[in-house]
Amino acid sequence: MPYDQLCRRPTPLYEAGEAKSIVRLLMKELFDFSLTDLCCGAVERLSAAQLQRLHGAHQRLLDAEPIQYVLGNATFCDRSFKVNPSVLIPRPETEELCQWVIEEEKKNRQTLSSSPQLLDLCTGSGCIAITLALELPDYEVTAWDVSLPAPNTAKENARQLHAPVRFEQQDVLKLCSAPAQWQIMVSNPPYICENERSTMAPNVLRHEPELALFVPDDDPMRFYRAISNYAQWALLPGGQLFFEFNPLYEDFLWETLAGLGFSDIRLKDDSFGHTRFMTATRQTQIRLNSFNLHRPRIRSRIPNFAVCNST
């Protein structure tokens, strides 16, 4: 099958430019073909065994399977992570969340304890926990997920990338109050309502894990509420909580954190201009009131640049 025909066939699912990029990535990963190779007829010189391999992978693309699952890996913060249908494919926005955590940690580094601990909740592939463990080597990093298969994938990623992360199965909806131990807590939990299914692409709906995507229409902030309640006890005084969230529920999340006594609540936009991230600090003394509800909101936008460059 000629290269131009390979690029045309996925276009009912993808725009023409995206379809070309996906096919080029597929050919690069499968056969190490450059764009020059493709334009010079390399596809037509494939062996029968190679053509069979190409046909199988291409058919998976036509079935709306994401290219990351077809290849078995996704790039996040310049590192390659194994992915499969048991874990969500890492998004570029979440790279920006990691970058913000790293920036904030550098500001507060001189006030940290000797062995600071960081917790990633709803870890999935482990991309957040592993990235932060590698970029913040002074931290002891723990990651939780309710899914049974997800921690296995995350552990494999940690082994592959030599990241010292402790992965545990834990349902964040069933957390109880606990002694303060975490300097940083970070989470990108499920936040898409069931009624948003009709607006989503088929490659997401058919293949990515529903457990990592959806929340009930009548309780869209269930994970944020549970994590925030846990954080008011489990964060050390002065510790920070970071969230990636659905911009539709910005006010609810702000009021939840303020009502639990968190201070220095700040928002940050992603590189697409959407209010996507929030951080809050546990006060020295827990005060369950709404003092912060009317504090001015500090907004800043992350510029559109490469983040989390590995060393």
Side-chain angles (χ1 to χ4, degrees):
M1 182 184 300
Y3 166 62
D4 59 347
Q5 187 176 349
L6 284 171
C7 293
R8 284 198 302 270
R9 291 186 66 189
T11 51
L13 299 173
Y14 305 99
E15 295 182 358
E18 187 178 8
K20 287 184 178 180
S21 296
I22 289 172
V23 171
R24 288 174 188 169
L25 178 59
L26 180 69
M27 304 305 289
K28 175 66 177 177
E29 292 292 321
L30 292 184
F31 309 115
D32 197 28
F33 284 168
S34 66
L35 178 58
T36 300
D37 293 328
L38 295 172
C39 293
C40 293
V43 177
E44 298 172 22
R45 296 191 294 271
L46 291 173
S47 67
Q50 289 173 321
L51 284 172
Q52 185 175 9
R53 185 183 179 197
L54 173 59
H55 175 76
H58 194 257
Q59 186 58 50
R60 291 171 67 182
L61 292 179
L62 296 180
D63 291 338
E65 187 170 354
I67 181 65
Q68 293 89 344
Y69 289 157
V70 174
L71 298 176
N73 63 77
T75 299
F76 184 84
C77 289
D78 294 333
R79 298 182 177 95
S80 179
F81 286 79
K82 292 182 180 294
V83 293
N84 53 59
S86 73
V87 298
L88 200 67
I89 297 169
R91 266 57 174 184
E93 295 91 332
T94 308
E95 294 186 350
E96 300 178 53
L97 173 63
C98 290
Q99 180 66 19
W100 197 21
V101 174
I102 294 166
E103 291 172 356
E104 288 291 308
E105 189 278 339
K106 290 179 179 177
K107 294 178 186 177
N108 302 323
R109 183 166 296 175
Q110 60 185 1
T111 64
L112 297 179
S113 60
S114 58
S115 298
Q117 296 190 57
L118 183 153
L119 175 63
D120 172 30
L121 303 98
C122 307
T123 192
S125 67
C127 61
I128 293 176
I130 291 169
T131 297
L132 295 179
L134 294 173
E135 298 291 339
L136 303 174
D138 292 336
Y139 278 75
E140 296 178 12
V141 178
T142 301
W144 291 346
D145 201 287
V146 68
S147 166
L148 281 172
N152 292 330
T153 302
K155 289 176 183 178
E156 178 60 27
N157 281 322
R159 284 194 293 268
Q160 177 179 286
L161 294 167
H162 308 290
V165 180
R166 181 170 63 251
F167 293 97
E168 301 173 353
Q169 185 188 15
Q170 181 67 258
D171 187 348
V172 302
L173 297 177
K174 298 179 180 179
L175 298 176
C176 300
S177 59
Q181 66 181 109
W182 311 108
Q183 187 69 43
I184 293 175
M185 290 174 56
V186 58
S187 185
N188 176 24
Y191 58 67
I192 301 174
C193 286
E194 291 284 347
N195 61 21
E196 297 180 72
R197 284 178 180 267
S198 61
T199 66
M200 298 176 66
N203 56 335
V204 176
L205 283 176
R206 295 182 198 171
H207 298 282
E208 296 203 60
E210 294 192 358
L211 186 66
L213 289 169
F214 294 107
V215 288
D217 293 338
D218 61 353
D219 193 11
M221 300 299 289
R222 64 191 311 187
F223 288 96
Y224 296 91
R225 186 171 59 252
I227 293 169
S228 299
N229 281 325
Y230 173 73
Q232 70 170 317
W233 304 104
L235 270 176
L236 291 166
Q240 282 185 274
L241 173 62
F242 292 85
F243 281 127
E244 180 175 333
F245 68 96
N246 186 333
L248 293 173
Y249 302 106
E250 169 191 328
D251 290 339
F252 183 95
L253 182 54
W254 179 282
E255 291 167 6
T256 296
L257 292 169
L260 290 172
F262 285 90
S263 64
D264 193 24
I265 304 173
R266 288 174 287 147
L267 301 165
K268 207 169 185 82
D269 293 350
D270 64 24
S271 57
F272 301 102
H274 301 127
T275 304
R276 182 71 63 184
F277 315 110
M278 187 176 291
T279 188
T281 301
R282 181 188 157 179
Q283 299 185 70
T284 303
Q285 294 182 338
I286 300 173
R287 295 186 301 169
L288 301 182
N289 56 44
S290 58
F291 173 76
N292 291 299
L293 282 174
H294 303 294
R295 294 186 62 167
R297 301 185 179 188
I298 303 173
R299 291 178 177 270
S300 59
R301 182 180 301 217
I302 298 176
N304 189 7
F305 61 92
V307 297
C308 295
N309 293 320
S310 58
T311 55

